[in-house]
Amino acid sequence: MGLPTAEKFEAIQLPLMQELIRHHPTYGSVSQHACAQLIHNALADNGWSSSIIDKYTAFELAGEPDYVPVGEFGADYEGDADRTKSNVYGVVDSGTEGPTIILNGHYDVDVVSDPHSWGALGGWKSGLVADGNIFGRGATDMLGGLTSLIAVGSYFAEIKDEWKGRIVLCAVTDEEIGGNGTVQSFRALERLGYLASTDIVGLIAEPTSGIIADESLGFMHMKLVANRKSQHMGTAQRTNNSLYDMIDVITNFDEIAGAAVDSMAGRTDSSLIHNFGIINGGQDAAIPIGEVHSEATIFYPANIAKSGLEKAIDAQLRQRFGSVIAAEFSDFGFRGHKSPDSQFGSILQATSTSESVTRGSFKSPCDARIFSTYGVPDVTIFGPGMLEDAHSIDERIELGLLQNYNQHLVRAISEVLKK
Ligand SMILES: [Zn+2]
């Protein structure tokens, strides 16, 4: 097979990706709306049957089963439900009855918390191409994957009489904060009639490090408070400074979480991924700390229920620390997802030409669970780039990886939509 999408890569994908990176569409930024417009224009200019910008507020989604109350995640997200957001939906319709493929990609990017650590080439808003890579926040997660979907869809728009069915692109926002953009996209697809058939498969082009994934992880947010009666420094010791209790919890959290999982009925094969990202306490260097606060996020497997896991972790903490440590789990969290026998995953595997591509799990939460809620259980997570590069300093993606992915996706979609 030749390179049907190489031209699309040069003409559409690369310039669009650079522009999106330069707009730096982080949570809550006005540039998100400009990005939606750029994506809409790219679809309109490249033969898509239709493209619409969908403006909405998360307030409208509050009754939906997968709605995530983002406002509860912290001060930066207050008032989230009233902010206007933009999704873009594009359709390439062959005009012949056939399967529907829903391609999902988010255009919001993670925040840059260490701007001074980025190298000159790796400026997070640069979109520079150097040494065969494109640099900038979102290059890997997931403006690369999203623009691949657009380039590939544009290729199929050019040869509409050679296949059957339709390709529906959902370019969504707010994936980085839980997935309300994808919730809104499914409400819209339902309203537009695109979910009426049962012959639908989904693809999310997150950077899966070469893994064709049928599982994504759940996400939970935990707040801990360590509390001891502070005393005069003359009596300072480990047992009256709560910092040491918090150190104890954090140092041993792998074991604590493991014991929690083991205590849940029938759950012996699962491990958790956790990160403590916030810690604070203390006001005076001469006084033992009375109260220390910390916050962690936990990724957990699809076969574990969030409420049961919360109870199990809480019980382990009580058993080990008594009333010194108090845990609180916010409503900001969601379950993982596992597709049974994904048909599209099998086709992606069969059409792969790379030995490094394998089937497995995506070691991160993503929007996959929302597909099954709206009647599309066959959803595969597979996109260009390495998960370790996502959200990283000097984030970049190899142009060659994007090109290979585009070719692979063309082969897989051709197989699903062949006449
Ligand atoms: Zn992502």
Side-chain angles (χ1 to χ4, degrees):
M1 176 172 283
L3 295 171
T5 49
E7 185 194 313
K8 301 274 177 254
F9 178 77
E10 290 293 338
I12 305 170
Q13 181 168 9
L14 196 51
L16 177 61
M17 207 176 150
Q18 287 178 308
E19 277 205 84
L20 292 172
I21 288 172
R22 287 166 187 157
H23 276 81
H24 196 44
T26 50
Y27 173 79
S29 63
V30 284
S31 64
Q32 288 205 344
H33 298 291
C35 288
Q37 189 66 50
L38 284 171
I39 293 165
H40 171 70
N41 294 350
L43 305 182
D45 292 347
N46 288 288
W48 289 61
S49 312
S50 69
S51 169
I52 49 175
I53 296 177
D54 177 23
K55 286 195 186 296
Y56 68 97
T57 63
F59 180 79
E60 305 158 40
L61 310 177
E64 297 293 317
D66 290 319
Y67 169 71
V68 177
V70 174
E72 295 183 22
F73 195 52
D76 290 349
Y77 303 93
E78 237 167 73
D80 173 75
D82 298 318
R83 286 193 180 143
T84 303
K85 328 255 184 178
S86 294
N87 278 349
V88 187
Y89 316 125
V91 178
V92 185
D93 203 320
S94 70
T96 311
E97 194 72 20
T100 296
I101 298 183
I102 298 175
L103 304 175
N104 174 291
H106 65 86
Y107 71 82
D108 61 315
V109 299
D110 192 38
V111 292
V112 172
S113 44
D114 303 300
H116 304 295
S117 311
W118 284 60
L121 274 181
W124 65 98
K125 287 176 78 169
S126 71
L128 272 176
V129 172
D131 302 329
N133 287 274
I134 176 166
F135 287 82
R137 174 55 87 229
T140 294
D141 187 9
M142 59 171 283
L143 299 175
L146 172 66
T147 53
S148 275
L149 300 179
I150 293 169
V152 167
S154 300
Y155 164 69
F156 281 95
E158 218 170 57
I159 52 160
K160 284 195 193 91
D161 51 346
E162 293 178 24
W163 51 280
K164 63 177 183 180
R166 60 162 88 100
I167 296 167
V168 177
L169 171 81
C170 297
V172 301
T173 184
D174 286 358
E175 191 280 339
E176 295 293 357
I177 52 156
N180 288 338
T182 292
V183 172
Q184 170 65 15
S185 75
F186 273 98
R187 289 172 86 225
L189 295 190
E190 207 161 47
R191 200 173 57 237
L192 295 165
Y194 291 126
L195 303 180
S197 142
T198 52
D199 198 359
I200 310 177
V201 294
L203 175 74
I204 301 177
E206 291 277 11
T208 53
S209 308
I211 294 170
I212 298 168
D214 57 7
E215 182 184 22
S216 66
L217 303 178
F219 175 101
M220 57 197 248
H221 174 220
M222 177 178 75
K223 293 181 182 179
L224 296 180
V225 181
N227 199 309
R228 294 242 181 214
K229 226 184 171 85
S230 62
Q231 293 175 354
H232 186 271
M233 189 174 154
T235 65
Q237 51 185 311
R238 285 184 172 236
T239 50
N240 61 23
N241 186 331
S242 62
L243 177 61
Y244 291 99
D245 300 296
M246 192 59 85
I247 289 170
D248 205 1
V249 175
I250 293 173
T251 309
N252 295 300
F253 198 76
D254 262 331
E255 192 204 320
I256 294 165
V261 171
D262 288 348
S263 74
M264 297 174 76
R267 311 287 187 215
T268 53
D269 58 336
S270 310
S271 60
L272 308 181
I273 300 169
H274 75 270
N275 178 67
F276 283 85
I278 296 176
I279 182 155
N280 51 54
Q283 281 165 339
D284 187 329
I287 299 176
I289 306 175
E291 226 176 72
V292 174
H293 295 251
S294 73
E295 292 185 40
T297 56
I298 300 170
F299 294 172
Y300 61 96
N303 66 355
I304 287 185
K306 179 171 174 273
S307 58
L309 182 57
E310 289 172 359
K311 283 194 191 97
I313 291 173
D314 194 52
Q316 285 299 320
L317 289 170
R318 272 172 206 284
Q319 194 183 314
R320 289 159 199 246
F321 300 94
S323 59
V324 173
I325 299 284
E328 191 190 306
F329 299 91
S330 73
D331 285 341
F332 183 86
F334 46 84
R335 66 191 164 86
H337 170 79
K338 191 160 170 62
S339 289
D341 308 319
S342 163
Q343 191 198 335
F344 193 41
S346 299
I347 288 170
L348 279 163
Q349 189 172 22
T351 51
S352 168
T353 54
S354 162
E355 279 179 14
S356 58
V357 170
T358 53
R359 296 288 284 274
S361 288
F362 181 41
K363 296 296 174 209
S364 170
C366 75
D367 289 352
R369 72 193 187 283
I370 302 163
F371 281 66
S372 61
T373 300
Y374 292 89
V376 185
D378 191 331
V379 54
T380 304
I381 310 138
F382 177 58
M386 310 303 284
L387 184 58
E388 58 266 33
D389 292 334
H391 303 197
S392 69
I393 290 165
D394 291 342
E395 184 174 345
R396 74 193 78 180
I397 192 166
E398 265 179 55
L399 302 184
L401 271 182
L402 293 170
Q403 300 246 39
N404 289 343
Y405 178 79
N406 294 356
Q407 297 306 318
H408 184 183
L409 195 54
V410 165
R411 290 192 297 274
I413 292 179
S414 299
E415 188 60 32
V416 177
L417 301 182
K418 70 177 176 220
K419 273 186 168 167

